[in-house]
Amino acid sequence: MTDSAPSPASQTLAPAQQALAVSRLLLTGAAGTLGRLLRPRLHRVCRQLLLSDRLSCGALAETELEQVCDLTDRAAMLQLLQGVGAVVHLGGVSVENPFEQVAASNLHGVFHLYEAARLSGCRRIVFASSNHTIGCYEQGEALQVGVKPRPDGYYGVSKLFGEHMAQLYWDRYGIETVCLRIGSATPEPEDRRALSTWLSLDDLERLVVAALLAPDVGCLTVYGISANTAAWWSREGWDRIGYAPQDNAEAWRSRVEHITQPPESPMDRLQGGRFLGLGPFEAQEP
Ligand code: NAI
Ligand code: 15L
C-alpha cells in the first residue's frame, strides 16, 4: 500500500515498511473506544491523520485533521474521502441493537464508505469486522476463516455485509481490504471467554498497521486476536500481512477463569458470549 514518500513519523517503521506509509490516513470511529486508543499509534504510518466520527474528537495534534461526519450522509462521505490514501474503518454500531439502528451505520454507512473510496481513488481499507460473524458456533470449536458464517445477531450480519462489500469492491474496482474479525480488544482479558478471544491493545496496533502496510492483499479476512494459547480461531492470513502477535491471554487465566456467563446458557456455550443474551428487540405481535 503506497501513496507517498515516507514521513518523519514513519521512521519508527522497518525500512521496507517506510516506503509504504500513507500520505493521508482516514480513521473513522475516531471518537470511540478503539479509535481513541489507536489514534496516537497511527501517526507513525502516515503524514496526516484525518479523524472522523459523528462526535467531535477533541483537540488536534499538528499532523491531525478532523471532519465530523455521519456515515449515513452520502454527500459528506464523498467529501470526507477526498485525498485519502487509506482508511481504518472503525466507525459504526459496535454492539447488538435493533435492526434499523445497525442498518443505518453498518449497512448504508459501509456502502457510502466504499462508494466514496471508489470515486476518490482510495486504494486500501482496513475494515473492523467482528467475531460476532461466527458467534453461534460452540465455544471450543476450532474455526477456519472460510467456515460458514453463523452470526449471533443483526450486528454480526452487518459485519458480514461489510466483508462482502469489501469483496465486491475488490473484484469490481480493485479496492483492497483487510477485514479484521476482531475478538475482544481490551487492556486485559475480562473473563473466561476472553482467554480465547482477547486482542491486546499492542497487538491491535500491530494488526492494524500490518493490515495497512502489507503489499498486495487483495481482499483478505483474518481473525484479530493475540497469540492466545486457548484460541478458537485460525491464524490464516497473519503471515500474509506480517502480523506477529506478542501477547497471550493465558497469563491472566487464574484471575479471570471464574468469570463466566450463567452455566449452560447460550451466552456461556456459544462463541459470541454475552451478545447471545441481547435481543429480540421487537415487541411481540398482539
Ligand atoms: P465504539 O462504539 O466505542 O466506537 C464506534 C464509533 O463509531 C463511535 O465513536 C460512534 O460515535 C461512531 N459511529 C457510530 N455510528 C456512526 C455513524 N453513523 N456515523 C459516524 N460515526 C458513527 O466501538 P469500538 O469498541 O471502538 O469498536 C470500533 C470498531 O471495531 C467497531 O466497528 C466495532 O464493531 C469493531 N469491533 C470492536 C471490538 C472490540 O473489542 N472493541 C471487537 C470486534 C469489532
Ligand atoms: C465486538 O464486536 C464488540 O464491538 C465489542 O464491544 C466486544 O463485545 C467484542 O465484540 C467481544 O465479542 O468481546
Side-chain angles (χ1 to χ4, degrees):
M1 164 74 250
T2 176
D3 72 350
S4 79
S7 69
S10 70
Q11 269 150 30
T12 50
L13 298 173
Q17 288 182 306
Q18 285 183 26
L20 300 171
V22 181
S23 176
R24 181 180 292 178
L25 174 64
L26 168 61
L27 176 64
T28 70
T33 307
L34 299 189
R36 279 180 278 121
L37 289 161
L38 275 176
R39 177 177 166 183
R41 298 168 179 243
L42 290 177
H43 288 285
R44 68 190 177 97
V45 294
C46 62
R47 193 149 50 202
Q48 272 186 338
L49 185 61
L50 173 57
L51 308 170
S52 188
D53 200 292
R54 60 182 167 194
L55 308 173
S56 171
C57 296
L60 301 180
E62 205 179 317
T63 54
E64 290 177 337
L65 304 168
E66 182 182 21
Q67 217 167 306
V68 173
C69 175
D70 199 300
L71 295 163
T72 61
D73 183 340
R74 180 184 166 87
M77 289 297 288
L78 290 175
Q79 176 66 34
L80 181 67
L81 267 285
Q82 293 305 311
V84 166
V87 183
V88 175
H89 183 55
L90 303 182
V93 171
S94 62
V95 291
E96 182 61 345
N97 263 292
F99 178 75
E100 300 301 346
Q101 285 175 41
V102 175
S105 297
N106 294 13
L107 305 187
H108 293 277
V110 164
F111 166 60
H112 294 150
L113 174 75
Y114 275 92
E115 268 301 273
R118 180 181 68 80
L119 292 166
S120 70
C122 170
R123 308 313 301 163
R124 173 72 59 91
I125 294 176
V126 175
F127 172 63
S129 183
S130 171
N131 71 87
H132 295 284
T133 52
I134 43 83
C136 278
Y137 281 94
E138 297 282 330
Q139 292 195 11
E141 187 168 352
L143 302 184
Q144 299 291 113
V145 171
V147 73
K148 177 184 170 182
R150 294 182 70 181
D152 57 34
Y154 304 132
Y155 168 69
V157 171
S158 78
K159 292 296 185 181
L160 287 165
F161 172 86
E163 293 184 8
H164 286 292
M165 197 62 114
Q167 187 68 52
L168 171 66
Y169 275 73
W170 165 243
D171 287 333
R172 293 288 306 272
Y173 309 118
I175 296 172
E176 295 190 298
T177 301
V178 182
C179 300
L180 309 176
R181 284 186 181 167
I182 300 170
S184 308
T186 50
E188 295 184 358
E190 293 179 347
D191 54 17
R192 185 182 65 192
R193 171 176 172 268
L195 293 171
S196 304
T197 64
W198 187 53
L199 176 63
S200 77
L201 302 180
D202 287 344
D203 283 340
L204 170 69
E205 174 186 349
R206 290 182 186 103
L207 179 62
V208 169
V209 168
L212 264 177
L213 300 185
D216 304 326
V217 292
C219 183
L220 183 68
T221 298
V222 300
Y223 289 109
I225 48 172
S226 287
N228 303 327
T229 304
W232 304 321
W233 307 322
S234 144
R235 299 180 173 206
E236 290 163 276
W238 290 3
D239 53 350
R240 175 109 175 261
I241 59 172
Y243 170 56
Q246 303 295 307
D247 297 314
N248 185 339
E250 204 59 24
W252 279 265
R253 179 172 285 280
S254 61
R255 268 189 264 173
V256 300
E257 199 172 26
H258 64 284
I259 304 173
T260 59
Q261 298 293 329
E264 303 306 319
S265 68
M267 297 179 287
D268 183 56
R269 262 192 318 108
L270 303 181
Q271 296 198 0
R274 64 186 173 82
F275 276 41
L276 274 303
L278 304 174
F281 300 99
E282 312 299 330
Q284 296 291 330
E285 292 296 324

